[in-house]
Amino acid sequence: ELSEFSLPETERSNPLTTDIDRSPDPAGLLHQVDQLLLADLRQQAVLLDVQLDRLAGVMADTVASDGVVVLSGCGTSGRLATLCCAVANRQLRLRQLPAAFRPCLAGGRSAFAASVEPAEDAAGEGVAELLALLGNKDKSSKSLLVGVSCGLSAPFVLGQVGLCLGRPDLGAYPALIGFNQVGDVRADRVDGLPWPGGCRAVAKRLAEADNVDRGLLINPSIGAEAIAGSSRMKGGTATLILLFHAVGRMLANLEPSADHSVARGWLSISEHLDLLDRLLESVKEGGAVLNDWMAHFGDSVGVNGDGVVYAFDNALSSAMAAIDASECPPTFGASAGDVRAIGDSHVEEFLAAIPLVARDAAMVAKEAETLAEPVNTEKAVATDAIGFALTSPTLRLDIPARVSRSVALRLPSNQLSAIVYNADLTLDLSWLPNDPLWLDYAGVIATKLTLNRLSTGGFVRAGKTFGNRMVCLQPSNSKLADRAARLVASAAGVGLTEARAALTRFGEPPAGQMSSKTVSPVAGAVLLLRRPELSVSEARQLLADCGGRLSDLLVT
């Protein structure tokens, strides 16, 4: 039987949320988990201050030398890194400094607004894309790679780190952000990585390079996720905290004579976390509203649901909405139509910064088709009414929704109109420092927390978890295949070998039926193991009859 303590920290089940699928207050439980994230980071503040000061120093030196800062990642990590690049470059332009930040997102532009999970395994593609971004830079300029991988186990990113470690002639300083210990990183052999021992070998070599300041590994402990393995939540929030803090300190380094009194929080991680504590409380005040919205969301993505749409009139909020929507298919087995994001056309600024990956013309055309949905506010959402829409209160879109709600952020720079005060949920952040970077960052964090809670709670309400295990995930790459086996083993009380055998026995959903209304192989494997008298066809039929709600058939 698989022990929770044998799992990497990012994959463990959180005891706080064991019964989240039966809780009357899922928003409150998710708030507690976020509070613990800040508490865990605060306990490591001394080390984080040293590490982030080093990272900010390398960033500042790279910008000053007219070099390139590459932020790289897969899935949620890569999307958040892309968003951070856009904000960092905007701040640099405000200071008449070169826009040095370059995003490197596994899967290219299409992966910003849609799940392209198999790209995470492509170590060779990651190396090729990094080399293209570094280009023929001047020998006097510096380069910096900041890879983000919550589990330190994405071959796309670790291949890039390995390249920088093995090729000092490139002049690219490697840094890696993640949230597992090196000894817990997957050690299976991966094509395209430079050393035997897979991702763990690369992480270990980076830790050794860190000791002599030839690289940097930042891997604080952040505890278990609210939904086991769903690193889009705490892992994503911690990623934003660390990246934006490094950018804030970089800007302070580049302007040593400037008055930073309004930008407090960037010079000390403890002060930063104090401000985030207060931001969390602002989001918590909307807990009752969010619980109500979760019910509407769950109905809209359930068996008879008509889908959910996010629509915002702010570029950063629109980008976060696209990110949240893109995370739902791999996490909850949602189809592309279950949760969609449309929004401000300025989201194209983020997408334009992502290099088109080397694919054939047909794939590029497919990317363009994928991107049309989240960035075009003029495009019709649907011919029939959708189930639930969440919008900005000032946005005038003809969205035929059965239930429509609005959310607004009150920031220090806002001149709020009456209609904003009439939003169904207003998050009051007017007390924040009136600093351009803080305003961008706070808007991103507040939007992320709100949408993550809404979509997580909504899919929990729709029965897409078993306790706090995401039994409807789609195992579309090696990381998710490993996670699927661990989830089955944990939920069924068996070992990994038996779990993998059950997944193989149950098989994949029929072709063309990969959606939130489809029976998941993870749920099916758990049911077969917990009720061995059932055949595969009987298990599939039982799950289909109850809309995939494993908790209707088993006790957690």
CSV table of all heavy atoms in Angstrom, one decimal, residues 43 64 136 159 342 363 428 460:
chain,number,residue,atom,x,y,z
A,43,GLN,N,8.1,31.1,7.3
A,43,GLN,CA,9.1,30.3,8.1
A,43,GLN,C,10.4,30.2,7.4
A,43,GLN,O,11.5,29.9,8.1
A,43,GLN,CB,8.5,28.9,8.5
A,43,GLN,CG,7.4,28.9,9.5
A,43,GLN,CD,6.9,27.6,9.8
A,43,GLN,OE1,7.2,26.6,9.2
A,43,GLN,NE2,6.1,27.4,10.9
A,64,ALA,N,21.2,45.3,-17.3
A,64,ALA,CA,22.1,46.4,-17.4
A,64,ALA,C,23.1,46.1,-18.6
A,64,ALA,O,23.7,47.0,-19.2
A,64,ALA,CB,22.9,46.6,-16.1
A,136,ASN,N,22.4,35.0,-31.1
A,136,ASN,CA,23.8,35.4,-31.3
A,136,ASN,C,24.0,36.7,-30.4
A,136,ASN,O,24.3,37.8,-31.0
A,136,ASN,CB,24.1,35.7,-32.7
A,136,ASN,CG,23.9,34.4,-33.6
A,136,ASN,OD1,24.4,33.4,-33.2
A,136,ASN,ND2,23.3,34.5,-34.7
A,159,GLY,N,15.8,20.1,-19.1
A,159,GLY,CA,16.7,20.0,-20.2
A,159,GLY,C,17.4,21.3,-20.4
A,159,GLY,O,18.6,21.3,-20.7
A,342,ILE,N,-13.1,34.7,-22.5
A,342,ILE,CA,-12.9,35.7,-23.6
A,342,ILE,C,-12.6,37.0,-22.8
A,342,ILE,O,-12.8,37.2,-21.6
A,342,ILE,CB,-14.2,35.9,-24.4
A,342,ILE,CG1,-15.4,36.3,-23.5
A,342,ILE,CG2,-14.6,34.6,-25.1
A,342,ILE,CD1,-16.7,36.6,-24.2
A,363,MET,N,0.0,23.1,-37.9
A,363,MET,CA,-0.1,23.3,-36.4
A,363,MET,C,-0.2,24.7,-36.1
A,363,MET,O,-0.9,25.1,-35.2
A,363,MET,CB,1.2,22.7,-35.8
A,363,MET,CG,1.2,22.8,-34.3
A,363,MET,SD,-0.2,22.0,-33.5
A,363,MET,CE,0.3,20.3,-33.6
A,428,ASP,N,-11.7,44.7,-2.1
A,428,ASP,CA,-11.2,46.0,-1.8
A,428,ASP,C,-9.7,45.9,-1.5
A,428,ASP,O,-9.3,45.4,-0.5
A,428,ASP,CB,-11.9,46.6,-0.5
A,428,ASP,CG,-11.4,48.0,-0.2
A,428,ASP,OD1,-10.6,48.5,-1.0
A,428,ASP,OD2,-11.9,48.6,0.8
A,460,VAL,N,-15.5,20.4,-7.8
A,460,VAL,CA,-15.8,19.6,-6.7
A,460,VAL,C,-17.3,19.4,-6.5
A,460,VAL,O,-17.7,18.2,-6.4
A,460,VAL,CB,-15.2,20.2,-5.4
A,460,VAL,CG1,-15.7,19.5,-4.2
A,460,VAL,CG2,-13.7,20.1,-5.4
